[in-house]
Amino acid sequence: MGSLPTPTSTSVAPSTSTAPEIRPAQRVAELLDDVWNVINTAAAATPVKPLVHLGQGFFGFNPPQFVLDAAKEALNHVENNQYAPTKGRPRLRKAIADAYGPFFNRRIDPDTEVQIGSGANETIFCCLLAFVEQGSEVIPFFDQYLSNINIAGGVLKYVPLHPPARAATETVSAADWKIDMAELEAAITPGKTRMIIINSPHNPTGKVFSRSELEAICALCVQHNILILSDDVYDRLSYTPFTRIATLSPAIARLTLTVGSVGKVFYATGWRLGWLIARPELVKYVTSAHARVEFCSNTPLQEAAAVGFEQAEQHDFWNASKRDLQAKEKRFNAIWPELGLPYTVPDGGYFTLVHFGKLQMPADYHFPPHIADRGYDFKAAYFLIQEIGVASIPPSEFYSVEHRHVAQAYLRFAFCKNDDVLDLAKERLRGLKRYIER
């Protein structure tokens, strides 16, 4: 046999291509440095261990045992480990329709009026894809919507929630934060504004919009035929009377897309399941968008969530959940009067806004460039992470650039944690006393 040819070594010549560099699409280019990345990066680098993370609203405890048991059992069935229908598992759609029909004062058709999504965020994104055209205007009240609106081609029109003037010096109720209705009306462009997104209970303030406030907002929507996306993810954690937008009138119901979250109601934010309730003529378009974005959502956890809704009442879970979170709110927020810092008492949800205007950080304190270029609340959040080992969220990120001054003196803390974690946070926060103006 002849010998094989000896391989010869080759070297790759340096590229001389004149092609332009690969760049990201503009729709995602500015998303890398958002508040979640900034805070989580700082949290990972803190010298104070263990960090007490009260920034993101993930729970410090498991879902109730009857829901966990249902999740484990669901995995034993072949059909639960395969694709789910695009609209969602029939059992979960029926369970949600049965659970929410009494709140909506009517029968909800699980086949035509309920859509399951991969978390409330994806569900909201699909609502935007379904109804927002390139250049359509959208008025949001929470930062998580902003990138979704941009990616969907929408134009953001900002209307901020305003705190009462005394909030800088005394503790106030979340109900005291207000929308300026004249600002809202001025933000509407007839024929161009496509959607208003309302979050109640509101993140980050904990405000539960009153019936009269919602009626005023929705009257403008009816007048201009604007869709209302009602982000009700904290609906089971309202500590004051809660009004469901779709129940205000038939005219308002026709325009309303109500979104909920399995993760929020059952302490399972990692499950990434949400739902939409709306009229059939709205739901069908959201289903079409969901089919292109996700095709279907997690099958076994849909079955577990269905069991959760079916059995929640017999376990008194809804009442217990509300009692437990209210107790945690009182336990944690006892630290602020001790420190002399005013805060906003939430009427729902599991966040507290605290005014840090009295915090005096050393004048020569070193902040990395990406923090130094941000507002006071980013600096205060970084300082707390590095010096006392407690993470929070700077809420100016929830506002547009022109309105960030409204929230720059505040920090947001999540109290959906175990009591020992909340107690450790309070002990750490006492270390701020030497930095607080008296």
Side-chain angles (χ1 to χ4, degrees), residues 66 267 311-324:
F66 67 95
Y267 315 153
Q311 297 185 9
E313 294 285 355
Q314 70 189 65
H315 289 276
D316 195 34
F317 174 70
W318 305 126
N319 291 326
S321 176
K322 193 177 298 188
R323 285 195 304 267
D324 290 349

Side-chain angles (χ1 to χ4, degrees), residues 8-44:
T8 58
S9 62
T10 59
S11 60
V12 178
S15 172
T16 58
S17 171
T18 59
E21 65 177 303
I22 296 175
R23 296 180 180 179
Q26 190 61 39
R27 69 178 71 92
V28 299
E30 298 177 0
L31 300 181
L32 298 179
D33 205 26
D34 67 10
V35 64
W36 316 108
N37 289 323
V38 169
I39 294 303
N40 287 331
T41 299

Side-chain angles (χ1 to χ4, degrees), residues 35 47 136 177 368 395 425:
V35 64
S136 298
W177 288 65

Side-chain angles (χ1 to χ4, degrees), residues 293-350:
V293 174
E294 288 280 327
F295 177 65
C296 68
S297 299
N298 187 301
T299 303
L301 297 183
Q302 287 192 56
E303 290 297 298
V307 172
F309 281 110
E310 291 165 359
Q311 297 185 9
E313 294 285 355
Q314 70 189 65
H315 289 276
D316 195 34
F317 174 70
W318 305 126
N319 291 326
S321 176
K322 193 177 298 188
R323 285 195 304 267
D324 290 349
L325 266 297
Q326 280 186 291
K328 290 180 183 297
E329 183 269 318
K330 290 178 171 57
R331 185 185 194 103
F332 176 63
N333 286 334
I335 188 63
W336 308 120
E338 183 180 330
L339 296 177
L341 296 177
Y343 68 100
T344 296
V345 181
D347 286 334
Y350 42 73

Side-chain angles (χ1 to χ4, degrees), residues 97-118:
D98 291 345
Y100 282 88
F103 293 129
F104 282 63
N105 303 315
R106 67 178 183 84
R107 179 186 178 274
I108 295 171
D109 187 332
D111 295 324
T112 62
E113 296 184 302
V114 180
Q115 168 65 49
I116 305 303
S118 298

Side-chain angles (χ1 to χ4, degrees), residues 65-81:
Q65 193 60 47
F66 67 95
V67 175
L68 284 179
D69 290 343
K72 296 171 186 176
E73 173 59 26
L75 292 170
N76 293 326
H77 300 271
V78 172
E79 67 274 15
N80 293 340
N81 293 296

Side-chain angles (χ1 to χ4, degrees), residues 369-426:
H370 69 287
I371 298 293
D373 291 342
R374 302 270 191 149
Y376 174 85
D377 56 337
F378 272 83
K379 296 180 178 69
Y382 182 84
F383 183 78
L384 264 64
I385 289 171
Q386 297 300 313
E387 299 304 317
I388 66 169
V390 176
S392 59
I393 290 293
S396 66
E397 192 80 357
F398 294 74
Y399 285 77
S400 62
V401 173
E402 63 267 33
H403 296 133
R404 283 181 181 168
H405 65 279
V406 174
Q408 280 192 346
Y410 292 88
L411 291 177
R412 190 199 76 173
F413 296 84
F415 53 82
C416 51
K417 315 295 180 181
N418 286 323
D419 288 350
D420 61 331
V421 174
L422 297 177
D423 291 343
L424 177 58
K426 288 161 64 178

